[in-house]
């Protein structure tokens, strides 16, 4: 499975498996969410560069993340700013779709997958017994 598909799957699973509100997360988890938002912004820019401006795949994933986390106003703004910063950074670094842009997209997807997995590793499904 390609890393881009892995992060989508992990985000979908983490959103559906056990919702954890952003305000209930530890400071470390909240920072991981900010880093994930940045990676999603980077991924959104790179995908639009290669697939066209009408492609909103990663932006929709960000919207799903926000819907699952339900961040308070200030943290929601922080997540949006991080997403936008990642978008701008990738747009500036990769103005055209080429092999380097595609390789960067794969690298960012893998990083995003790791971040999402880190967030999901601390969540226990409701029907799983705790030890």
């Amino acid at each position: 499975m390609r890393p881009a598909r892995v992060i989508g799957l992990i985000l979908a699973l983490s959103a559906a498996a056990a919702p954890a509100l952003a305000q209930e997360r530890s400071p470390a988890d909240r920072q991981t969410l900010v880093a994930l938002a940045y990676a999603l912004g980077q991924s959104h820019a790179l995908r639009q560069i290669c697939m066209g401006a009408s492609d909103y795949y990663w932006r929709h994933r960000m919207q799903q993340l926000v819907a699952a986390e339900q961040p308070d106003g200030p943290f929601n703004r922080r997540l949006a700013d991080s997403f936008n910063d990642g978008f701008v950074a990738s747009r500036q670094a990769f103005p055209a779709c080429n092999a380097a842009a595609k390789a960067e997209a794969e690298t960012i997807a893998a990083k995003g997958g790791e971040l999402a997995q880190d967030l999901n590793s601390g969540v226990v499904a409701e029907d799983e017994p705790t030890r």
Side-chain angles (χ1 to χ4, degrees), residues 5-119:
R5 295 199 186 277
V6 171
I7 189 172
L9 177 62
I10 290 171
L11 283 175
L13 290 174
S14 66
L21 300 180
Q23 57 269 26
E24 296 171 355
R25 291 202 182 263
S26 70
D29 280 352
R30 288 169 65 97
Q31 186 56 43
T32 301
L33 284 167
V34 171
L36 180 57
Y38 188 88
L40 289 170
Q42 290 177 294
S43 295
H44 179 52
L46 291 168
R47 187 165 166 123
Q48 279 194 331
I49 289 166
C50 290
M51 304 293 286
S54 63
D55 188 295
Y56 286 92
Y57 180 83
W58 291 113
R59 185 171 185 271
H60 290 302
R61 293 290 186 219
M62 180 65 189
Q63 290 170 332
Q64 290 174 333
L65 176 70
V66 169
E69 293 294 330
Q70 299 177 13
D72 58 21
F75 191 61
N76 186 48
R77 182 79 250 151
R78 190 170 165 209
L79 291 173
D81 287 346
S82 186
F83 178 89
N84 292 335
D85 290 346
F87 181 87
V88 169
S90 284
R91 278 287 190 179
Q92 290 175 342
F94 300 95
C97 184
N98 55 30
K102 290 176 183 179
E104 182 69 4
E106 293 291 327
T107 299
I108 293 166
K111 168 115 174 121
E114 291 171 13
L115 292 167
Q117 193 168 24
D118 288 348
L119 285 169

